[in-house]
Amino acid sequence: MTELNFPGARRSDMYVETEERPDPAPVATEALEEPADPFIEPDEVGDAAPTRVPKTKQPASTVPTPASERVPTPDSDDEDAEPAAPAKEGFNGFLNQLFGGLFKLGPSAKELAARELTASQSSFEDLIRQSTWTRAVGLLVANKKGTAGKTPLSILLGGVLAAIRGGSVAILETSDDKGQLAYRAEGDPQLGMGELVANISTVRTQSQLRGYTVTQTSFASVIGSTPKWRPPLTKENVLKVASIVDEHFTIRVMDTGNQYSSGPFGAAVEVADVLVIPTMLAQDAVSEALELLEFLEHQGADAARLARSAIVVMMSDGRPEFKPSKLKKQFMDKGIAEDHIYSVPYDSHVAERGALTLAKLAPATRQALTAIAAGVVAQTNQNVFEKDQNR
């Protein structure tokens, strides 16, 4: 055989090829998925993978939120989350119904948001309905600024609580002089706070007490003032009324006046478990609210707890407004947790300044109030435990 004469030919005889092959370097298949072949169609449209709710990682909060931990919310990070059910609304829902389930088109972002809202509202209502205490609890609605929304929020918050819990909520007027609670509530009281204070020694049963109330369509009971003049309330008056109310109602909502140093306001603070601060989107109303927090911080341990755990509700009445984010920052700088600051959208029924009825509220308003009520109940659970433990 003729010898090969090109350079290096003899060295090739020394090379032996082995069967082993080096392992290929791993490739990140999650990030580089092979695109689907556009010329191949699936056998059945119904075999398409069902749409899942997108998961979004929430940033870690730098503000402690002990109360919110008791407010159940849908868990978007659950590894065992079920696939989203096929669309029932919109064009995708129409197609799913038209073809009798052959298509399993996923819901739109709008429908997913609506489902999440429904789930959260259900969780809020469960918390409100199922929370119990071994004594009556008091909610203080306060802001020194007039027209800050104290009376409307007292009626609406108490109404939502009563509607979900099936009653046993009393809304009291605790202002020094006659306020607007009875005017903003449903019905015309024949007897009210002035008459109750005058006859308090004779009131022993629930039936007797209800004679001084007006029952709302929400099943809340309002104790306001009749059109007649009544003497200014004293600290002793408020304490005695709160005591008899607590014997027959589970939740007591107190609509307060504008004078922090007055006896009635001091009594309301003394028998309160949670502070709710309404404010319009105006700097003067926010400034007065911040002053209230500072005032309470110097009134003893229980009052200071009210200030630290306060629930802030920013409301809108249609007038020119300050930027909400700037007002919110002022409360956060004062130590109010971000998840303790709520907003209620403008509602024409509230802005009418007449009698308030839950059924006449816009759905968005009712949803916001339910979330606020759940936050208030969650904070009540915590404050009642801490307050009673220290006694």
Side-chain angles (χ1 to χ4, degrees), residues 269-305:
V269 171
E270 186 175 327
V271 294
D273 295 295
V274 172
L275 169 64
V276 182
I277 304 178
T279 179
M280 293 297 171
L281 297 177
Q283 185 59 60
D284 57 350
V286 172
S287 297
E288 297 288 8
L290 297 174
E291 181 183 332
L292 169 61
L293 294 174
E294 187 172 356
F295 170 81
L296 292 175
E297 289 171 356
H298 297 85
Q299 303 304 310
D302 289 342
R305 183 187 297 107

Side-chain angles (χ1 to χ4, degrees), residues 343-381:
S343 295
V344 176
Y346 170 82
D347 193 296
S348 59
H349 177 55
V350 180
E352 290 172 353
R353 299 179 183 272
L356 293 168
T357 302
L358 287 185
K360 294 182 180 180
L361 297 175
T365 306
R366 182 66 178 267
Q367 291 160 2
L369 289 167
T370 301
I372 294 167
V376 169
V377 169
Q379 191 60 54
T380 302
N381 292 340

Side-chain angles (χ1 to χ4, degrees), residues 102-146:
L102 177 63
F103 287 93
K104 292 186 173 71
L105 300 177
S108 64
K110 181 178 180 180
E111 185 174 356
L112 281 175
R115 292 181 184 182
E116 292 177 0
L117 178 61
T118 300
S120 64
Q121 290 286 300
S122 178
S123 298
F124 292 152
E125 291 182 8
D126 287 345
L127 173 64
I128 295 169
R129 185 182 304 108
Q130 296 170 6
S131 292
T132 57
W133 309 278
T134 57
R135 62 172 177 81
V137 298
L139 310 180
L140 176 70
V141 182
N143 188 329
K144 185 178 179 181
K145 179 71 173 67

Side-chain angles (χ1 to χ4, degrees), residues 322-341:
F322 208 74
K323 193 172 183 180
S325 59
K326 292 186 177 180
L327 300 178
K328 182 178 180 180
K329 185 178 183 302
Q330 294 182 49
F331 284 109
M332 294 176 65
D333 290 343
K334 193 65 176 176
I336 300 299
E338 183 176 7
D339 65 338
H340 278 206
I341 304 174

Side-chain angles (χ1 to χ4, degrees), residues 127-200:
L127 173 64
I128 295 169
R129 185 182 304 108
Q130 296 170 6
S131 292
T132 57
W133 309 278
T134 57
R135 62 172 177 81
V137 298
L139 310 180
L140 176 70
V141 182
N143 188 329
K144 185 178 179 181
K145 179 71 173 67
T147 68
K150 294 187 294 294
T151 299
L153 185 59
S154 296
I155 294 173
L156 296 175
L157 176 60
V160 169
L161 291 170
I164 294 174
R165 293 179 62 91
S168 197
V169 177
I171 307 171
L172 317 180
E173 178 180 87
T174 61
S175 55
D176 303 42
D177 298 313
K178 184 176 71 171
Q180 295 295 310
L181 182 64
Y183 173 75
R184 297 304 303 270
E186 299 167 333
D188 298 317
Q190 300 302 310
L191 300 173
M193 181 61 72
E195 292 76 15
L196 176 59
V197 167
N199 302 324
I200 193 74

Side-chain angles (χ1 to χ4, degrees), residues 219-259:
F219 302 108
S221 298
V222 172
I223 304 179
S225 292
T226 66
K228 300 178 182 179
W229 175 86
R230 67 163 173 80
L233 297 181
T234 65
K235 181 175 182 178
E236 183 181 7
N237 294 153
V238 173
L239 291 177
K240 285 184 176 180
V241 169
S243 178
I244 188 66
V245 167
D246 287 355
E247 292 181 14
H248 304 290
F249 291 87
T250 304
I251 299 177
R252 169 179 23 87
V253 181
M254 295 174 289
D255 180 24
T256 62
N258 303 329
Q259 186 62 39

